[in-house]
Amino acid sequence: AWAHSAEIVKTYNDELVTRWKEEMDTLLVYAGLFSAVLTAFNVQSYQLLQPDPTDPALAVLQQISAQLSSFTLNPSFVNSTQRPLAPDALQPPFSAPRSAVWINTLWFSSLVCSLASASIALMVKQWLHELSIGVSGTSRESARIRQYRLNSLRRWHVGGIVIVIP
């Protein structure tokens, strides 16, 4: 009777662990691909949060134009009344567009969630690996250890975690 009961517990336990491991493997592949694509979008959209680098030649031309427009002509001399501008004064203060901030917030939040779910999936895989270590056969002691570990998985709500992660 114990051998039959132990075989049932072993079969149930092995099927459960195998199913959850396969789900975690699928999730890890999906999270890896999703994170890679998100990273490409993040790299491109992050540039919207930084000021456009102005062309140095354009800045110099603007300064020359400002100086030329300030010249005054008198019969005895030519006078420039405008001093050269500092390089920082040529660029207006930068403020990122609100839409760019929102887009980047959503992209980076999505990346954080993807990486967090991958980390949790790795922890679940480690729990499942630890669950199957050191238990072999269908003896009475093996059945007790399997049931004890299965009860622990239920107490820690690992099944719920597996369902919620994706």
Side-chain angles (χ1 to χ4, degrees):
W2 273 108
H4 179 67
S5 297
E7 185 63 37
I8 291 172
V9 170
K10 180 182 183 310
T11 302
Y12 176 78
N13 194 21
D14 290 346
E15 287 175 359
L16 180 70
V17 168
T18 301
R19 186 177 75 237
W20 283 354
K21 279 185 178 180
E22 288 174 356
E23 287 178 22
M24 293 301 101
D25 287 338
T26 303
L27 174 73
L28 286 170
V29 168
Y30 175 75
L33 292 172
F34 187 67
S35 296
V37 171
L38 272 175
T39 301
F41 283 114
N42 284 341
V43 166
Q44 291 301 317
S45 69
Y46 185 71
Q47 294 172 359
L48 297 173
L49 297 176
Q50 299 176 356
D52 289 335
T54 57
D55 186 17
L58 178 63
V60 170
L61 288 174
Q62 287 175 341
Q63 183 176 355
I64 291 171
S65 175
Q67 284 180 332
L68 286 175
S69 67
S70 70
F71 278 136
T72 58
L73 293 174
N74 288 333
S76 58
F77 64 94
V78 176
N79 185 18
S80 174
T81 57
Q82 183 165 346
R83 297 180 183 194
L85 297 174
D88 294 340
L90 295 175
Q91 296 177 350
F94 177 74
S95 176
R98 210 174 264 242
S99 61
V101 172
W102 274 102
I103 289 170
N104 276 281
T105 301
L106 292 174
W107 283 131
F108 279 102
S109 299
S110 183
L111 182 62
V112 167
C113 289
S114 176
L115 294 175
S117 68
S119 297
I120 294 170
L122 284 173
M123 284 193 307
V124 168
K125 280 192 61 101
Q126 288 174 347
W127 290 340
L128 295 175
H129 178 71
E130 291 294 323
L131 178 72
S132 58
I133 288 179
V135 180
S136 61
T138 57
S139 69
R140 178 183 240 178
E141 186 64 26
S142 295
R144 284 183 180 167
I145 292 172
R146 280 192 184 94
Q147 187 61 44
Y148 175 75
R149 290 180 178 178
L150 182 63
N151 291 343
S152 297
L153 282 179
R154 288 183 179 148
R155 192 171 44 246
W156 281 87
H157 305 287
V158 174
I161 292 171
V162 170
I163 292 170
V164 170
I165 290 175

